[in-house]
Amino acid sequence: MTGTSSSRRLFLHVGVPKSGTTFLQASLARNHDALQAAGVLDVGNRRETFLAAVDVRGTHDAWGRNREDVAGAWAKLCKRARRHDGTSVISQELLAAASADQVTDALAPLRGVEVHVIVTARDLARQAAAEWQEGIKHGRCMRFEQFRRHMTAVDTETDYAQKLRAAQELPGVLGRWSAHLPRERVHIVCCPRPGSPPEMLWRRFAGLLGDHVADLPCAGREHANASLGSLETDLLRRVNLALDKRLPQPDYGQIVKQLYAQRLLATSSSPRPVVPEGMYDDLRIISQRWVKELADGGYTVHGDLDELVPEPSRVPAPHPDDVDVERQVDVAARATAELLLELQRNRARIAQLEHQHTKLEKRRKKLKRKLSRSG
């Protein structure tokens, strides 16, 4: 794909997960009409890009889908990008973990399109805490210390450690996605340091689509992926243990992640998980090695690679596994109460729908009798 001279240009944002991807996707959605007016096509909504990524990676079973549910979803997005005479963008973080063969297959339908790959990245300390929490939101049950061993031990070859590296190890992600592209068309967008305005990340990302795009407003903080505090994350971990995989996808995602975690638990206010102080040295060593590899890789960098090296928190924070159990019981009681109210509201909706159905059925039978008499 190195010799294309087409006016069709696709910016393919492949992740990595937990690097501001939800915020950037919400910003693209907010500016859909303005992007279209500027000749930039946002290819596919959140559901379409999700199904397309599952199609590319062949992970339909893990997400509770049939192969038929996702087959052709990626080809459909590629077809839209090929038809658009100008700049288009696809953003889906699940693509980060695609294997080398899957990357090759994913790029094949885009021949004739000038493909640029974007990888957003942030410092490993924030990334580690967010990735652990996200894993709990997807049904995992490990304490932070277990997660820590998977993340920092280079010789760990468990299935989970391999999946973690596939999605989060920056040199590997960039190496796979750059294999068929000129390095100048592979972009690293660095997430700014904590405390920076969210507009900074949006401008770095959107500037790739055009200077006029970077001036568009970004989404508000409420559109970022809802984060839980350490107490709520541990509570959800205990719920996952109690569920014991009895609620498979996609029901788990809809009921536990979206309703219980992101609507009910996210309203509580315990401090967000922060990696323990003793972990920073390990993460700095890993990050510094990655930064050197990325600097030597010839990629186009937006921001500063030094922003990917974590700095210890200046505010003391408890270990993510150390939670106030008594306070946790209060949070669990409130969440249970809200779940019961939601159950009652759903029962009322069902009763109303059943009543409407009964009325419509009576009306249908009455009309049927009238028609039979008139005939």
Side-chain angles (χ1 to χ4, degrees):
M1 303 190 66
T2 59
T4 180
S5 58
S6 171
S7 61
R8 293 172 176 82
R9 177 182 298 175
L10 170 65
F11 287 91
L12 181 55
H13 179 211
V14 302
V16 296
K18 308 309 299 178
S19 62
T21 52
T22 301
F23 162 73
L24 292 173
Q25 289 152 8
S27 298
L28 289 171
R30 172 180 177 174
N31 292 293
H32 181 271
D33 292 344
L35 289 170
Q36 198 167 37
V40 178
L41 176 66
D42 183 10
V43 185
N45 57 35
R46 180 70 177 168
R47 180 179 183 277
E48 290 174 318
T49 59
F50 165 75
L51 295 176
V54 173
D55 183 18
V56 168
R57 294 187 51 205
T59 52
H60 47 278
D61 286 341
W63 291 100
R65 263 72 174 184
N66 297 317
R67 179 61 194 157
E68 299 76 37
D69 297 334
V70 301
W74 176 251
K76 185 183 297 184
L77 295 190
C78 293
K79 186 176 181 179
R80 290 181 194 168
R82 288 199 311 271
R83 285 181 170 178
H84 181 65
D85 188 14
T87 297
S88 54
V89 57
I90 297 174
S91 177
Q92 178 47 249
E93 65 275 15
L94 292 180
L95 291 169
S99 68
D101 289 341
Q102 289 167 348
V103 169
T104 301
D105 292 342
L107 293 177
L110 292 166
R111 289 190 180 92
V113 178
E114 183 184 301
V115 177
H116 291 246
V117 165
I118 306 173
V119 172
T120 44
R122 66 175 176 173
D123 76 79
L124 262 183
R126 287 188 293 163
Q127 199 70 358
E131 178 64 24
W132 169 67
Q133 179 186 131
E134 192 68 12
I136 302 299
K137 284 186 189 177
H138 282 92
R140 296 194 176 100
C141 305
M142 64 178 65
R143 292 178 177 272
F144 187 84
E145 275 304 307
Q146 294 172 284
F147 168 83
R148 173 182 181 173
R149 289 194 292 272
H150 285 291
M151 185 163 193
T152 57
V154 295
D155 58 346
T156 302
E157 290 300 328
T158 63
D159 179 63
Y160 177 66
Q162 291 176 11
K163 289 179 180 178
L164 185 63
R165 284 198 295 271
Q168 294 289 343
E169 192 174 47
L170 288 174
V173 172
L174 284 154
R176 294 191 300 275
W177 278 101
S178 67
H180 305 286
L181 299 173
R183 289 302 172 96
E184 64 269 18
R185 283 204 250 137
V186 181
H187 305 265
I188 303 171
V189 175
C190 302
C191 292
R193 292 285 187 189
S196 302
E199 294 83 359
M200 188 178 294
L201 174 60
W202 168 243
R203 291 194 191 104
R204 290 179 180 180
F205 175 86
L208 288 166
L209 308 178
D211 293 338
H212 54 297
V213 178
D215 293 332
L216 294 174
C218 63
R221 293 183 184 274
E222 69 275 9
H223 293 288
N225 202 346
S227 294
L228 302 179
S230 294
L231 186 151
E232 292 78 22
T233 304
D234 184 71
L235 173 59
L236 181 57
R237 183 188 67 80
R238 292 170 183 265
V239 169
N240 290 339
L241 283 168
L243 282 172
D244 193 24
K245 300 181 180 179
R246 290 176 294 168
L247 191 60
Q249 295 285 6
D251 291 336
Y252 179 93
Q254 295 166 355
I255 298 171
V256 181
K257 182 181 179 183
Q258 295 175 20
L259 171 60
Y260 186 71
Q262 296 187 168
R263 271 183 52 193
L264 303 184
L265 293 184
T267 60
S268 299
S269 57
S270 73
R272 293 182 181 181
V274 176
V275 299
E277 186 176 352
M279 192 178 177
Y280 277 95
D281 288 342
D282 291 334
L283 295 182
R284 283 182 66 86
I285 291 170
I286 295 171
S287 299
Q288 287 165 348
R289 184 178 76 246
W290 288 4
V291 164
K292 185 178 185 310
E293 291 183 47
L294 301 183
D296 293 341
Y299 306 112
T300 304
V301 178
H302 306 265
D304 191 332
L305 288 176
D306 285 340
E307 292 172 306
L308 307 185
V309 179
E311 296 177 344
S313 174
R314 298 175 183 176
V315 180
H319 189 288
D321 290 337
D322 294 337
V323 299
D324 184 335
V325 177
E326 185 173 342
R327 185 179 173 194
Q328 189 178 67
V329 170
D330 290 338
V331 171
R334 287 197 297 273
T336 301
E338 291 300 324
L339 274 178
L340 294 173
L341 290 171
E342 184 69 16
L343 174 62
Q344 186 275 331
R345 286 190 288 268
N346 286 337
R347 284 169 62 93
R349 291 189 198 105
I350 292 170
Q352 183 180 22
L353 289 171
E354 288 176 341
H355 178 65
Q356 291 173 350
H357 174 75
T358 300
K359 288 175 65 176
L360 289 171
E361 185 63 18
K362 287 180 179 178
R363 189 177 300 173
R364 184 188 69 81
K365 290 178 179 179
K366 186 176 180 180
L367 288 171
K368 186 177 180 180
R369 286 194 298 270
K370 283 184 177 180
L371 287 171
S372 64
R373 290 194 206 102
S374 63

